Amino acid sequence: MLSWCAVAGHAQPQPLRIGLVGPFSGGSGDFGNSARFGAELAVKEINAVGGFLGRPLELVIRDDQAVPDVGRQAAEDLVLKEKVAFTIGYCNTGVAMKALDVFQDNKHLLMVPCSQGTAVTTKYPPAQSYIFRVAPPDLLNAKFLIAEIVDRRKLQRVAIFADETGYGEGGLQDLSAELAKRGLKPVYVARFPLGVTSLHAQMRAARDAGADAIVAYTVGPEQAVAVRSRLEVGYTAPFFAPWTLSFRSVLENAGQAAVEGTMMVQTIIQDNHNERRASFLARYFKHSNETRIGSLMAAAQTYDAVHLMLWALFQAKGDTSGDALKRALETLERPYQGVVTTYARPFSDRDHDAIAANMLWLGVWRKGQIEYYYQDDARRTGVVRRKDAQ
């Protein structure tokens, strides 16, 4: 019979359990599952080289179904019951906002890979907050889009289409604030619920109001309705949106003709000339068995989020308390060469958003693919845009 010491000496290291929460079913499932595959791939590769100091990483996955109450329950389950070391999660702003206080009140580190609502990282002052993010906040998206539309293209009559969720409301407020800085107001605003099947009347109203540009703030299925309705009523004003326009489901539900030429904000665009991105995509497709990625941004940002947390773990010497991980992220000593960018001091005690304005690209649908809108950007694809010094 083996002694207790002998058994203990051969015991397998306890896994380091990581919470992962997102919309893995329902209308947001395309980009939610891209985030999940990105996290799984990162964990798989980290474990293949020994995990964290010999401890394998293990994802504890919860599907929030893009429903706020379900997302909050997932937070309570991961933090209070499962007691995971930290959590990576949330793609939908309304879902994230419902759950944030669970993480904050329990000093539990939450790294947000997808949700872009400005309020996600501004609800609590960064000096006290345990909420970090590797997606661009909508305030940056609004600045980028209005600069493109008004400053660069000299279009001043902007129509805003925003759904009735927290995401749509936040986008409407941010866009309106950026227009106001230029002495402008939207010439038309359309609000609509998720699940809407036609926006024909709203598109005609925007055209009648003389709008010479459209910005749509909603998720994938409703982006598809918007671009399809625009095509069907023969409205030719240029169409802009945040990242949600880039989802696979928009192309599948609206068709190539409807999305052709429409533009969106991106942190990453598929490009085989960028070695890191090409390598990541090859590994991603092998892991996911997908033929077309649901959302490259969701997959890459979540993959990077896992690795950034590993960097923080090493710097914190394995201390998984919220305070230790927070300090480590705010003073990250080693740059991480990620898929989206190289993260060199991405956070501070004044700023918990890793993505800055200089790191955004204008993407466009062309022949069923997302490309750089500007050829100058495409030619500079090998240049990694890093966050401006803080």
Side-chain angles (χ1 to χ4, degrees):
M1 178 180 296
L2 292 173
S3 69
W4 180 88
C5 290
V7 173
H10 289 83
Q12 293 297 315
Q14 289 295 309
L16 196 151
R17 302 169 76 239
I18 301 167
L20 178 68
V21 57
F24 308 131
S25 61
S28 296
D30 55 349
F31 67 100
N33 281 300
S34 295
R36 178 172 62 87
F37 288 138
E40 289 175 347
L41 178 61
V43 167
K44 178 181 178 181
E45 292 176 352
I46 291 167
N47 286 342
V49 294
F52 174 68
L53 299 178
R55 296 178 64 186
L57 306 188
E58 177 184 297
L59 292 174
V60 182
I61 299 175
R62 295 292 181 270
D63 181 4
D64 64 33
Q65 304 168 36
V67 176
D69 287 338
V70 178
R72 181 182 178 88
Q73 181 57 54
E76 293 173 346
D77 187 40
L78 291 169
V79 175
L80 303 176
K81 180 182 175 183
E82 298 291 346
K83 298 188 184 300
V84 295
F86 56 85
T87 298
I88 294 172
Y90 296 104
C91 292
N92 305 87
T93 294
V95 182
M97 293 303 296
K98 183 81 172 183
L100 289 186
D101 62 313
V102 176
F103 301 96
Q104 185 69 17
D105 292 348
N106 290 279
K107 297 184 176 181
H108 181 98
L109 202 296
L110 173 66
M111 178 66 76
V112 180
C114 299
S115 173
Q116 297 187 4
T118 302
V120 171
T121 49
T122 59
K123 181 176 181 178
Y124 308 105
Q128 288 82 48
S129 177
Y130 295 87
I131 316 300
F132 293 76
R133 174 164 54 188
V134 291
D138 276 327
L139 181 60
L140 287 188
N141 290 324
K143 289 178 181 293
F144 182 91
L145 288 170
I146 298 304
E148 175 68 29
I149 295 166
V150 178
D151 301 342
R152 187 166 192 167
R153 300 182 182 226
K154 310 305 180 185
L155 304 175
Q156 297 189 338
R157 301 183 63 80
V158 180
I160 300 175
F161 283 63
D163 66 37
E164 295 171 351
T165 68
Y167 178 62
E169 179 63 27
L172 173 60
Q173 292 179 7
D174 289 336
L175 289 165
S176 298
E178 284 302 308
L179 286 171
K181 291 177 182 177
R182 295 159 174 82
L184 302 172
K185 296 192 299 185
V187 297
Y188 176 76
V189 174
R191 303 303 303 273
F192 51 90
L194 296 184
V196 67
T197 58
S198 173
L199 290 169
H200 285 189
Q202 293 88 339
M203 285 291 170
R204 293 191 185 98
R207 183 176 58 191
D208 293 345
D212 53 17
I214 305 165
V215 184
Y217 249 84
T218 188
V219 290
E222 286 67 37
Q223 288 285 3
V225 173
V227 294
R228 190 171 62 242
S229 296
R230 169 177 168 269
L231 176 68
E232 289 169 352
V233 304
Y235 190 16
T236 58
F239 188 103
F240 300 86
W243 73 307
T244 50
L245 181 61
S246 67
F247 296 171
R248 179 184 64 204
S249 62
V250 181
L251 175 66
E252 293 174 344
N253 293 335
Q256 184 175 319
V259 301
E260 185 70 17
T262 60
M263 294 157 281
M264 76 297 293
V265 185
Q266 299 280 272
T267 58
I268 180 172
I269 292 175
Q270 184 169 340
D271 186 347
N272 290 332
H273 296 293
N274 185 299
E275 184 177 347
R276 275 186 292 176
R277 294 172 186 175
S279 174
F280 167 76
L281 279 166
R283 302 192 312 273
Y284 175 92
F285 285 124
K286 182 177 181 180
H287 173 75
S288 68
N289 291 319
E290 292 182 316
T291 55
R292 179 188 284 270
I293 196 166
S295 168
L296 175 56
M297 279 179 63
Q301 289 167 181
T302 310
Y303 177 91
D304 284 351
V306 174
H307 281 280
L308 277 171
M309 290 308 305
L310 181 68
W311 252 235
L313 277 170
F314 277 111
Q315 188 166 314
K317 296 180 171 56
D319 185 345
T320 59
S321 68
D323 286 327
L325 292 175
K326 171 180 163 64
R327 284 193 301 271
L329 286 171
E330 291 174 346
T331 60
L332 209 60
E333 296 167 355
R334 295 175 55 202
Y336 161 58
Q337 293 186 343
V339 178
V340 173
T341 186
T342 294
Y343 301 84
R345 300 301 291 267
F347 307 110
S348 73
D349 60 1
R350 303 178 308 280
D351 182 5
H352 282 190
D353 281 302
I355 303 298
N358 67 306
M359 300 162 68
L360 301 179
W361 310 90
L362 184 66
V364 61
W365 278 108
R366 290 188 179 127
K367 298 181 180 179
Q369 301 292 332
I370 302 288
E371 299 181 1
Y372 293 95
Y373 182 86
Y374 292 109
Q375 286 304 305
D376 282 348
D377 289 340
R379 284 191 287 268
R380 292 196 299 265
T381 184
V383 178
V384 176
R385 292 186 179 181
R386 303 189 186 199
K387 186 172 184 177
D388 292 331
Q390 299 187 48

